[in-house]
Amino acid sequence: MANKVEICGVNTSKLPVLSNEEKMELFEKIKQGDMDAREKFIGGNLRLVLSVIQRFNNRGENLDDLFQIGCIGLIKAIDNFDTSHQVKFSTYAVPMIIGEIRRYLRDNNQIRVSRSMRDIAYKTLKAKEEYITRHAKEPTIEELAKILGLAKEDIVFALESIQDPISLHEPAYNDGTDTIFVMDQVKDTKNTDEQWLEKIALSEAMKRLTEREKHIISLRFFSGKTQMEVAEEIGISQAQVSRLEKGALDRMKKYI
């Protein structure tokens, strides 16, 4: 991936980078039907697609194909993005691009799954989302089976059938000396897509704080210092640290 400069005829080393101001200006033009602005916005966000497809680089898929599919996800994100929500475009677009690539990999899996089995799996996922929305918790397999009127075994088999199979001997990392294989990380719970997206959201939320608030949050939750230790370090009272910390956390929670 690192050595592939040109993908689908696009020279990735010369991709433009848009500022937030430029993005907002282009979005206003896009809403008015300006196709040139739309093309410029797509070109200015292709680096997002590149960053996402690197996560799928060890699956043996053609990078050009993944790039094209990722671009479809990017375009869908552009068409559905609402600037009134005050969310950074990249925060919204990354999950859309990931989802599009996952659907492609699932539908083009070498292990063919019957249409009826996939339909059950998709209905189950939809029922699960609706249940979580209503009850604020995940349903059990038994509850999903009751909702759909199916045997719980059928639901389990259907959900397993749409998972992407990979070899335990597939290289996961190589630093030039020792190679780490998938089997070495089967218990890894730290590198999920959810964790990755949470880090993006946290980073964006931190940007909305003042420099003093960022410093306090960093000392408290990344350096593990007490409020008293923070107060001594930056020269204010413990009560002030407490108040600033609470305000910063409340603002971050609202954004996230």
Side-chain angles (χ1 to χ4, degrees), residues 86-229:
Q86 300 298 312
V87 175
K88 194 172 181 180
F89 176 73
S90 58
T91 305
Y92 177 80
V94 166
M96 295 281 281
I97 297 170
I98 291 174
E100 199 66 33
I101 293 175
R102 278 181 165 176
R103 276 190 290 274
Y104 167 79
L105 293 174
R106 183 180 61 214
D107 293 341
N108 289 273
N109 200 318
Q110 291 182 349
I111 300 176
R112 295 300 174 187
V113 180
S114 69
R115 172 61 64 181
S116 60
M117 187 72 78
R118 284 205 300 268
D119 286 344
I120 292 175
Y122 300 152
K123 287 177 181 178
T124 302
L125 293 175
K126 182 178 179 182
K128 180 180 178 180
E129 290 177 1
E130 292 174 348
Y131 185 96
I132 293 174
T133 300
R134 288 196 303 269
H135 303 284
K137 66 175 183 177
E138 288 201 10
T140 63
I141 293 297
E142 288 78 7
E143 288 170 331
L144 287 172
K146 185 177 180 180
I147 292 171
L148 297 172
L150 297 169
K152 61 182 182 180
E153 291 81 6
D154 291 339
I155 289 178
V156 171
F157 290 148
L159 291 176
E160 289 182 348
S161 73
I162 62 172
Q163 298 299 314
D164 295 328
I166 59 174
S167 170
L168 289 174
H169 297 282
E170 181 177 333
Y173 174 76
N174 189 315
D175 62 358
T177 54
D178 295 328
T179 299
I180 298 177
F181 298 95
V182 172
M183 67 170 61
D184 300 319
Q185 295 188 308
V186 291
K187 292 185 179 180
D188 183 15
T189 60
K190 296 181 180 179
N191 298 308
T192 63
D193 288 337
E194 290 76 13
Q195 292 279 353
W196 187 40
L197 294 176
E198 284 177 5
K199 288 180 180 178
I200 293 175
L202 180 60
S203 176
E204 292 301 318
M206 286 283 285
K207 290 179 182 178
R208 294 175 177 263
L209 304 180
T210 65
E211 290 304 316
R212 172 178 274 189
E213 289 172 333
K214 287 179 186 177
H215 190 42
I216 290 173
I217 294 298
S218 178
L219 291 175
R220 287 279 290 124
F221 300 100
F222 293 95
S223 299
K225 295 192 176 184
T226 65
Q227 290 185 348
M228 187 62 71
E229 289 173 331

Side-chain angles (χ1 to χ4, degrees), residues 2-135:
N3 298 324
K4 189 173 178 65
V5 176
E6 188 171 291
I7 297 180
C8 295
V10 177
N11 188 335
T12 60
S13 67
K14 296 183 178 179
L15 287 175
V17 178
L18 300 175
S19 66
N20 287 331
E21 292 74 18
E22 289 176 317
K23 289 179 182 179
M24 295 306 294
E25 290 176 5
L26 288 173
F27 252 116
E28 291 302 318
K29 294 180 180 179
I30 291 172
K31 288 179 181 178
Q32 297 169 10
D34 189 328
M35 297 306 294
D36 289 336
R38 190 168 185 267
E39 289 298 319
K40 185 176 180 181
F41 193 91
I42 292 172
N45 284 277
L46 289 179
R47 290 181 183 275
L48 274 182
V49 179
L50 289 174
S51 69
V52 170
I53 66 175
Q54 289 183 43
R55 299 176 59 80
F56 299 90
N57 194 33
N58 291 324
R59 294 177 180 245
E61 295 289 334
N62 184 285
L63 290 179
D64 289 349
D65 291 342
L66 292 184
F67 183 75
Q68 291 182 62
I69 299 302
C71 287
I72 293 174
L74 172 63
I75 292 170
K76 287 183 177 180
I78 293 172
D79 291 341
N80 291 281
F81 185 61
D82 187 346
T83 55
S84 65
H85 290 165
Q86 300 298 312
V87 175
K88 194 172 181 180
F89 176 73
S90 58
T91 305
Y92 177 80
V94 166
M96 295 281 281
I97 297 170
I98 291 174
E100 199 66 33
I101 293 175
R102 278 181 165 176
R103 276 190 290 274
Y104 167 79
L105 293 174
R106 183 180 61 214
D107 293 341
N108 289 273
N109 200 318
Q110 291 182 349
I111 300 176
R112 295 300 174 187
V113 180
S114 69
R115 172 61 64 181
S116 60
M117 187 72 78
R118 284 205 300 268
D119 286 344
I120 292 175
Y122 300 152
K123 287 177 181 178
T124 302
L125 293 175
K126 182 178 179 182
K128 180 180 178 180
E129 290 177 1
E130 292 174 348
Y131 185 96
I132 293 174
T133 300
R134 288 196 303 269
H135 303 284

